[in-house]
Amino acid sequence: MTIEILQPGKLLDTCEAALAQRYTVHKLYEQPDPAAWLKANGSRIRAVAGGNVDAGLLTQLPNLEIIANFGVGYDNIDTKAAKAANIRVTNTPDVLNDAVAELAIGLMIALGRRIVVADKFVRAGKWPGNNFGLSAELTGKTVGILGLGRIGKEIAARAQALKMRVVYYGRGRQPSVPHIYYDNLVDMARDSDWLVIVAPGGKSTQGIVSRDVLEALGPEGRLVNVARGTLVDQPAMVELLVNGGLAGAALDVFDGEPEVPAELMDLDNVVLSPHHASATRQTRDAMGAMLVANLDAHFAGEPLLSQVV
Ligand code: NDP
Protein backbone atom coordinates (compact mmCIF):
# COMPACT_ATOMS: atom_id res chain seq x y z
CA MET A 1 0.00 0.00 0.00
CA THR A 2 1.54 3.30 -1.02
CA ILE A 3 1.81 6.28 1.25
CA GLU A 4 -0.95 8.85 0.74
CA ILE A 5 0.03 12.49 0.59
CA LEU A 6 -1.88 15.74 0.16
CA GLN A 7 -1.00 18.44 -2.32
CA PRO A 8 -2.95 21.61 -1.39
CA GLY A 9 -1.86 23.63 -4.45
CA LYS A 10 -0.27 23.26 -7.89
CA LEU A 11 3.42 22.34 -7.95
CA LEU A 12 5.99 22.32 -10.72
CA ASP A 13 5.40 19.51 -13.27
CA THR A 14 8.77 17.83 -12.56
CA CYS A 15 8.02 17.82 -8.82
CA GLU A 16 4.50 16.46 -9.33
CA ALA A 17 5.85 13.70 -11.59
CA ALA A 18 8.45 12.68 -8.99
CA LEU A 19 5.82 12.62 -6.23
CA ALA A 20 3.43 10.54 -8.36
CA GLN A 21 6.14 7.94 -8.94
CA ARG A 22 6.51 7.36 -5.21
CA TYR A 23 3.25 8.23 -3.49
CA THR A 24 -0.49 8.31 -3.92
CA VAL A 25 -1.00 12.04 -4.36
CA HIS A 26 -4.32 13.72 -3.63
CA LYS A 27 -4.64 17.18 -5.17
CA LEU A 28 -6.88 19.09 -2.82
CA TYR A 29 -7.30 22.00 -5.24
CA GLU A 30 -8.86 19.65 -7.80
CA GLN A 31 -11.52 18.41 -5.40
CA PRO A 32 -14.95 19.92 -6.08
CA ASP A 33 -15.63 20.06 -2.33
CA PRO A 34 -12.27 20.17 -0.51
CA ALA A 35 -13.87 20.33 2.97
CA ALA A 36 -15.97 17.21 2.34
CA TRP A 37 -12.98 15.43 0.84
CA LEU A 38 -10.84 16.21 3.89
CA LYS A 39 -13.56 15.00 6.23
CA ALA A 40 -13.83 11.68 4.40
CA ASN A 41 -10.14 11.09 3.63
CA GLY A 42 -8.01 13.34 5.86
CA SER A 43 -7.11 10.57 8.30
CA ARG A 44 -5.22 8.64 5.58
CA ILE A 45 -2.87 11.53 4.80
CA ARG A 46 0.67 11.15 6.17
CA ALA A 47 2.40 14.04 4.39
CA VAL A 48 1.62 17.42 2.86
CA ALA A 49 3.63 18.57 -0.17
CA GLY A 50 3.83 22.36 -0.69
CA GLY A 51 1.02 24.87 -0.23
CA ASN A 52 -0.47 26.76 2.70
CA VAL A 53 -0.99 24.80 5.89
CA ASP A 54 -2.90 26.49 8.69
CA ALA A 55 -4.03 25.09 12.05
CA GLY A 56 -7.50 24.38 10.62
CA LEU A 57 -6.09 22.09 7.94
CA LEU A 58 -3.90 20.33 10.50
CA THR A 59 -6.90 19.37 12.65
CA GLN A 60 -8.31 17.56 9.59
CA LEU A 61 -5.14 15.53 9.11
CA PRO A 62 -4.88 13.59 12.41
CA ASN A 63 -2.20 11.17 11.13
CA LEU A 64 0.01 13.75 9.45
CA GLU A 65 3.74 13.21 10.00
CA ILE A 66 5.45 15.76 7.81
CA ILE A 67 4.90 18.97 5.82
CA ALA A 68 7.44 19.42 3.01
CA ASN A 69 7.36 23.06 1.96
CA PHE A 70 8.23 24.27 -1.54
CA GLY A 71 10.32 27.34 -0.69
CA VAL A 72 12.83 28.48 1.91
CA GLY A 73 10.37 30.85 3.59
CA TYR A 74 7.73 28.94 5.54
CA ASP A 75 5.51 31.74 6.84
CA ASN A 76 2.73 29.96 4.88
CA ILE A 77 2.79 27.17 7.47
CA ASP A 78 1.54 27.34 11.04
CA THR A 79 4.77 25.95 12.48
CA LYS A 80 3.60 26.47 16.06
CA ALA A 81 0.60 24.21 15.49
CA ALA A 82 2.77 21.71 13.61
CA LYS A 83 5.26 21.55 16.47
CA ALA A 84 2.50 21.10 19.01
CA ALA A 85 1.13 18.19 16.97
CA ASN A 86 4.60 16.64 16.58
CA ILE A 87 4.61 17.17 12.83
CA ARG A 88 7.92 17.73 11.07
CA VAL A 89 8.37 20.63 8.64
CA THR A 90 11.01 20.94 5.92
CA ASN A 91 11.89 23.75 3.49
CA THR A 92 14.17 24.18 0.44
CA PRO A 93 17.12 26.38 1.46
CA ASP A 94 20.34 27.17 -0.44
CA VAL A 95 19.36 25.82 -3.86
CA LEU A 96 17.61 29.13 -4.59
CA ASN A 97 20.24 31.54 -3.24
CA ASP A 98 21.80 32.41 -6.59
CA ALA A 99 18.51 32.91 -8.41
CA VAL A 100 17.13 35.23 -5.73
CA ALA A 101 20.38 37.19 -5.41
CA GLU A 102 20.52 37.55 -9.18
CA LEU A 103 17.02 38.99 -9.33
CA ALA A 104 17.74 41.35 -6.43
CA ILE A 105 20.74 42.78 -8.27
CA GLY A 106 18.76 42.85 -11.51
CA LEU A 107 16.01 44.86 -9.81
CA MET A 108 18.58 47.27 -8.39
CA ILE A 109 20.15 47.93 -11.78
CA ALA A 110 16.71 48.18 -13.41
CA LEU A 111 15.57 50.75 -10.84
CA GLY A 112 18.80 52.76 -10.58
CA ARG A 113 19.50 52.85 -14.30
CA ARG A 114 15.79 53.27 -15.17
CA ILE A 115 15.83 50.30 -17.56
CA VAL A 116 12.07 49.76 -17.58
CA VAL A 117 11.37 53.47 -18.10
CA ALA A 118 14.00 53.62 -20.84
CA ASP A 119 12.43 50.68 -22.64
CA LYS A 120 9.02 52.36 -22.54
CA PHE A 121 10.60 55.63 -23.74
CA VAL A 122 12.14 54.01 -26.82
CA ARG A 123 9.05 51.92 -27.65
CA ALA A 124 6.84 54.99 -27.41
CA GLY A 125 8.97 56.69 -30.10
CA LYS A 126 10.02 59.42 -27.66
CA TRP A 127 13.77 59.15 -28.32
CA PRO A 128 13.92 61.48 -31.33
CA GLY A 129 13.70 65.04 -30.08
CA ASN A 130 13.65 64.20 -26.37
CA ASN A 131 16.33 63.83 -23.72
CA PHE A 132 15.84 60.73 -21.58
CA GLY A 133 17.69 62.30 -18.65
CA LEU A 134 20.02 60.80 -16.09
CA SER A 135 19.93 57.76 -13.85
CA ALA A 136 21.57 56.53 -10.64
CA GLU A 137 24.68 54.36 -10.71
CA LEU A 138 25.25 51.62 -8.13
CA THR A 139 29.03 52.01 -8.16
CA GLY A 140 30.40 53.47 -4.95
CA LYS A 141 27.03 53.46 -3.18
CA THR A 142 26.21 51.82 0.14
CA VAL A 143 23.79 48.90 0.24
CA GLY A 144 22.29 48.02 3.61
CA ILE A 145 21.13 44.43 3.78
CA LEU A 146 18.35 43.54 6.19
CA GLY A 147 18.95 39.81 6.75
CA LEU A 148 22.50 38.82 5.84
CA GLY A 149 21.69 35.11 5.69
CA ARG A 150 22.13 32.56 2.92
CA ILE A 151 20.62 34.78 0.20
CA GLY A 152 21.76 38.06 1.77
CA LYS A 153 25.40 36.93 1.57
CA GLU A 154 25.02 36.13 -2.14
CA ILE A 155 23.55 39.59 -2.71
CA ALA A 156 26.45 41.11 -0.74
CA ALA A 157 29.03 39.29 -2.87
CA ARG A 158 27.40 40.51 -6.08
CA ALA A 159 27.05 44.05 -4.72
CA GLN A 160 30.76 44.08 -3.89
CA ALA A 161 31.53 42.97 -7.43
CA LEU A 162 29.61 46.10 -8.49
CA LYS A 163 31.95 48.15 -6.26
CA MET A 164 29.30 48.86 -3.65
CA ARG A 165 29.92 49.19 0.07
CA VAL A 166 27.97 46.60 2.08
CA VAL A 167 26.55 47.06 5.59
CA TYR A 168 24.02 44.82 7.31
CA TYR A 169 21.41 44.54 10.03
CA GLY A 170 20.19 41.40 11.81
CA ARG A 171 19.45 40.29 15.35
CA GLY A 172 23.14 39.83 16.01
CA ARG A 173 26.59 40.60 14.66
CA GLN A 174 28.09 37.78 12.61
CA PRO A 175 31.72 37.45 13.74
CA SER A 176 32.94 35.91 10.49
CA VAL A 177 31.43 38.63 8.29
CA PRO A 178 33.68 41.55 7.25
CA HIS A 179 30.88 44.07 6.60
CA ILE A 180 29.90 46.81 9.05
CA TYR A 181 27.11 45.69 11.38
CA TYR A 182 24.26 47.90 12.61
CA ASP A 183 22.21 46.86 15.60
CA ASN A 184 19.64 49.51 14.69
CA LEU A 185 17.73 49.41 11.42
CA VAL A 186 16.98 53.16 11.36
CA ASP A 187 20.68 53.94 11.71
CA MET A 188 21.55 51.51 8.93
CA ALA A 189 18.88 52.99 6.64
CA ARG A 190 20.29 56.49 7.26
CA ASP A 191 23.74 55.24 6.19
CA SER A 192 22.42 53.42 3.09
CA ASP A 193 21.70 54.49 -0.46
CA TRP A 194 19.96 51.15 -1.01
CA LEU A 195 18.06 49.06 1.54
CA VAL A 196 17.66 45.44 0.48
CA ILE A 197 15.18 43.34 2.45
CA VAL A 198 15.91 39.62 2.55
CA ALA A 199 14.90 38.47 6.04
CA PRO A 200 12.10 35.96 6.77
CA GLY A 201 8.44 36.93 6.96
CA GLY A 202 6.16 36.11 9.88
CA LYS A 203 5.27 37.77 13.16
CA SER A 204 8.83 38.54 14.29
CA THR A 205 9.52 40.78 11.29
CA GLN A 206 6.04 42.21 10.67
CA GLY A 207 6.38 45.90 9.77
CA ILE A 208 10.08 45.97 10.71
CA VAL A 209 10.72 48.36 7.81
CA SER A 210 8.63 51.04 9.47
CA ARG A 211 7.90 54.60 8.43
CA ASP A 212 10.90 55.67 10.57
CA VAL A 213 13.18 53.29 8.67
CA LEU A 214 11.84 54.47 5.30
CA GLU A 215 12.21 58.13 6.26
CA ALA A 216 15.78 57.45 7.38
CA LEU A 217 16.47 55.91 3.95
CA GLY A 218 15.13 59.20 2.63
CA PRO A 219 14.52 61.04 -0.66
CA GLU A 220 17.80 59.79 -2.17
CA GLY A 221 17.30 56.23 -0.89
CA ARG A 222 15.99 53.22 -2.78
CA LEU A 223 14.24 50.17 -1.36
CA VAL A 224 14.45 46.60 -2.69
CA ASN A 225 12.23 43.85 -1.29
CA VAL A 226 12.81 40.23 -2.31
CA ALA A 227 11.65 38.81 1.05
CA ARG A 228 8.00 39.24 2.02
CA GLY A 229 5.65 42.21 1.75
CA THR A 230 4.75 41.90 5.41
CA LEU A 231 8.14 43.26 6.50
CA VAL A 232 7.31 46.73 5.18
CA ASP A 233 4.84 49.37 6.34
CA GLN A 234 3.35 49.32 2.86
CA PRO A 235 1.03 52.35 3.16
CA ALA A 236 3.96 54.46 4.41
CA MET A 237 6.16 53.17 1.58
CA VAL A 238 3.53 54.04 -1.03
CA GLU A 239 3.04 57.52 0.44
CA LEU A 240 6.79 58.23 0.46
CA LEU A 241 7.21 56.96 -3.11
CA VAL A 242 4.38 59.20 -4.28
CA ASN A 243 5.51 62.36 -2.46
CA GLY A 244 9.27 62.04 -3.05
CA GLY A 245 10.16 60.87 0.44
CA LEU A 246 11.87 57.88 -1.17
CA ALA A 247 13.76 57.91 -4.48
CA GLY A 248 12.38 54.57 -5.59
CA ALA A 249 11.54 50.95 -4.89
CA ALA A 250 12.02 47.63 -6.66
CA LEU A 251 9.57 45.10 -5.30
CA ASP A 252 9.23 41.37 -5.93
CA VAL A 253 6.80 40.93 -3.03
CA PHE A 254 3.81 42.82 -1.61
CA ASP A 255 1.66 42.76 1.45
CA GLY A 256 -1.59 41.22 0.20
CA GLU A 257 -0.10 39.96 -3.08
CA PRO A 258 -1.01 39.30 -5.81
CA GLU A 259 -2.86 42.56 -5.21
CA VAL A 260 -0.52 45.53 -5.72
CA PRO A 261 -1.35 49.02 -4.40
CA ALA A 262 -2.94 50.93 -7.29
CA GLU A 263 -0.83 54.04 -6.58
CA LEU A 264 2.32 52.13 -7.58
CA MET A 265 1.10 51.31 -11.07
CA ASP A 266 1.69 54.78 -12.50
CA LEU A 267 4.99 55.53 -10.76
CA ASP A 268 8.17 55.63 -12.83
CA ASN A 269 10.35 55.32 -9.73
CA VAL A 270 9.07 51.81 -9.01
CA VAL A 271 9.94 48.45 -10.58
CA LEU A 272 7.28 45.80 -10.00
CA SER A 273 7.90 42.06 -10.12
CA PRO A 274 5.43 39.18 -9.53
CA HIS A 275 7.20 37.27 -6.70
CA HIS A 276 9.39 35.32 -9.07
CA ALA A 277 12.86 35.68 -7.56
CA SER A 278 13.42 31.92 -7.39
CA ALA A 279 11.45 31.13 -10.52
CA THR A 280 14.06 29.88 -12.94
CA ARG A 281 13.78 26.40 -14.41
CA GLN A 282 16.99 25.14 -12.80
CA THR A 283 16.21 26.54 -9.37
CA ARG A 284 12.56 25.46 -9.29
CA ASP A 285 13.62 21.95 -10.38
CA ALA A 286 16.16 21.85 -7.57
CA MET A 287 13.56 23.07 -5.06
CA GLY A 288 11.14 20.36 -6.19
CA ALA A 289 13.83 17.71 -5.95
CA MET A 290 14.63 18.83 -2.40
CA LEU A 291 10.98 18.70 -1.36
CA VAL A 292 10.73 15.12 -2.66
CA ALA A 293 14.07 14.14 -1.09
CA ASN A 294 12.85 15.35 2.30
CA LEU A 295 9.72 13.21 2.04
CA ASP A 296 11.75 10.20 0.87
CA ALA A 297 14.16 10.62 3.79
CA HIS A 298 11.31 10.85 6.26
CA PHE A 299 9.57 7.71 5.05
CA ALA A 300 12.88 5.83 4.84
CA GLY A 301 13.63 6.74 8.45
CA GLU A 302 16.71 8.70 7.36
CA PRO A 303 17.82 12.18 8.50
CA LEU A 304 15.91 15.00 6.81
CA LEU A 305 17.82 17.28 4.45
CA SER A 306 16.42 20.56 5.76
CA GLN A 307 14.24 20.40 8.83
CA VAL A 308 12.82 23.60 10.31
CA VAL A 309 10.44 21.97 12.83
P1 NDP B 1 18.28 32.84 6.21
O1 NDP B 1 17.59 32.27 7.38
O2 NDP B 1 19.53 32.20 5.72
O3 NDP B 1 18.63 34.37 6.47
C1 NDP B 1 17.70 35.23 7.04
C2 NDP B 1 18.43 36.41 7.67
O4 NDP B 1 17.46 37.23 8.28
C3 NDP B 1 19.44 36.03 8.71
O5 NDP B 1 20.64 36.68 8.41
C4 NDP B 1 18.87 36.54 10.02
O6 NDP B 1 19.93 37.12 10.77
C5 NDP B 1 17.88 37.60 9.59
N1 NDP B 1 16.73 37.64 10.48
C6 NDP B 1 15.95 36.60 10.87
N2 NDP B 1 14.99 37.03 11.71
C7 NDP B 1 15.19 38.35 11.87
C8 NDP B 1 14.52 39.35 12.63
N3 NDP B 1 13.48 39.06 13.41
N4 NDP B 1 15.01 40.61 12.56
C9 NDP B 1 16.05 40.91 11.77
N5 NDP B 1 16.72 40.01 11.03
C10 NDP B 1 16.29 38.75 11.08
O7 NDP B 1 17.19 32.91 5.06
P2 NDP B 1 17.39 32.91 3.48
O8 NDP B 1 18.48 33.87 3.14
O9 NDP B 1 17.47 31.53 2.99
O10 NDP B 1 15.96 33.50 3.02
C11 NDP B 1 15.51 34.75 3.48
C12 NDP B 1 14.07 35.00 3.09
O11 NDP B 1 13.99 35.34 1.72
C13 NDP B 1 13.14 33.80 3.22
O12 NDP B 1 12.68 33.63 4.55
C14 NDP B 1 12.02 34.13 2.25
O13 NDP B 1 10.94 34.74 2.91
C15 NDP B 1 12.66 35.10 1.29
N6 NDP B 1 12.67 34.54 -0.06
C16 NDP B 1 11.97 35.15 -1.06
C17 NDP B 1 11.96 34.63 -2.34
C18 NDP B 1 11.23 35.30 -3.44
O14 NDP B 1 10.80 34.62 -4.37
N7 NDP B 1 11.07 36.61 -3.42
C19 NDP B 1 12.66 33.37 -2.66
C20 NDP B 1 13.41 32.85 -1.55
C21 NDP B 1 13.40 33.41 -0.30
P3 NDP B 1 19.96 37.04 12.37
O15 NDP B 1 19.72 35.59 12.72
O16 NDP B 1 21.31 37.54 12.72
O17 NDP B 1 18.87 37.95 12.80
Side-chain angles (χ1 to χ4, degrees):
M1 208 170 62
T2 61
I3 294 163
E4 298 193 42
I5 74 171
L6 185 71
Q7 193 187 313
K10 184 96 190 77
L11 286 168
L12 202 69
D13 289 348
T14 50
C15 182
E16 290 193 356
L19 288 171
Q21 278 171 6
R22 296 157 163 84
Y23 306 107
T24 300
V25 182
H26 299 285
K27 296 181 176 175
L28 190 59
Y29 60 98
E30 286 183 353
Q31 299 301 329
D33 186 347
W37 189 91
L38 282 170
K39 207 169 173 193
N41 304 285
S43 63
R44 297 203 312 276
I45 298 299
R46 294 175 62 191
V48 172
N52 296 336
V53 185
D54 60 17
L57 178 57
L58 288 183
T59 58
Q60 299 184 278
L61 307 172
N63 295 311
L64 189 65
E65 298 166 30
I66 182 168
I67 302 163
N69 191 44
F70 185 87
V72 65
Y74 46 90
D75 45 322
N76 54 317
I77 296 170
D78 189 333
T79 49
K80 213 171 153 190
K83 195 172 182 178
N86 214 14
I87 295 162
R88 305 167 105 186
V89 180
T90 60
N91 65 346
T92 60
D94 287 318
V95 293
L96 42 64
N97 295 351
D98 289 327
V100 180
E102 203 173 278
L103 191 85
I105 295 291
L107 287 172
M108 290 170 75
I109 297 176
L111 177 62
R113 301 307 308 272
R114 301 173 63 214
I115 290 176
V116 180
V117 186
D119 180 88
K120 283 188 200 150
F121 179 83
V122 174
R123 284 174 200 265
K126 290 184 181 166
W127 192 3
N130 289 295
N131 182 355
F132 179 62
L134 302 175
S135 58
E137 200 166 325
L138 272 58
T139 308
K141 299 285 167 46
T142 295
V143 54
I145 298 182
L146 160 53
L148 194 71
R150 290 170 294 231
I151 300 169
K153 289 189 177 74
E154 291 295 338
I155 296 172
R158 286 161 176 76
Q160 285 190 300
L162 292 169
K163 303 181 186 174
M164 299 187 83
R165 172 176 170 258
V166 175
V167 300
Y168 73 104
Y169 168 82
R171 290 164 301 181
R173 182 191 302 274
Q174 301 183 43
S176 59
V177 163
H179 314 301
I180 290 172
Y181 170 67
Y182 279 89
D183 63 4
N184 182 306
L185 191 50
V186 172
D187 289 345
M188 184 178 82
R190 198 172 290 119
D191 186 31
S192 300
D193 303 293
W194 291 82
L195 175 60
V196 175
I197 307 172
V198 64
K203 284 204 183 81
S204 72
T205 56
Q206 177 93 33
I208 189 172
V209 180
S210 61
R211 176 179 289 274
D212 284 352
V213 172
L214 295 169
E215 286 179 351
L217 188 58
E220 299 299 322
R222 291 176 173 81
L223 182 73
V224 178
N225 192 357
V226 290
R228 291 289 183 265
T230 54
L231 280 89
V232 181
D233 178 342
Q234 189 161 280
M237 177 191 75
V238 170
E239 187 190 312
L240 292 166
L241 285 167
V242 169
N243 70 18
L246 272 177
L251 307 166
D252 186 47
V253 288
F254 303 84
D255 198 5
E257 64 186 43
E259 299 305 318
V260 173
E263 298 94 320
L264 297 182
M265 297 294 187
D266 297 325
L267 294 182
D268 274 352
N269 59 343
V270 170
V271 176
L272 304 171
S273 165
H275 197 154
H276 77 135
S278 70
T280 66
R281 166 58 64 186
Q282 71 195 60
T283 289
R284 285 286 165 93
D285 279 346
M287 290 164 67
M290 196 164 189
L291 178 155
V292 175
N294 270 306
L295 289 180
D296 289 352
H298 170 77
F299 289 113
E302 290 167 4
L304 299 175
L305 281 77
S306 49
Q307 184 169 10
V308 291
V309 172

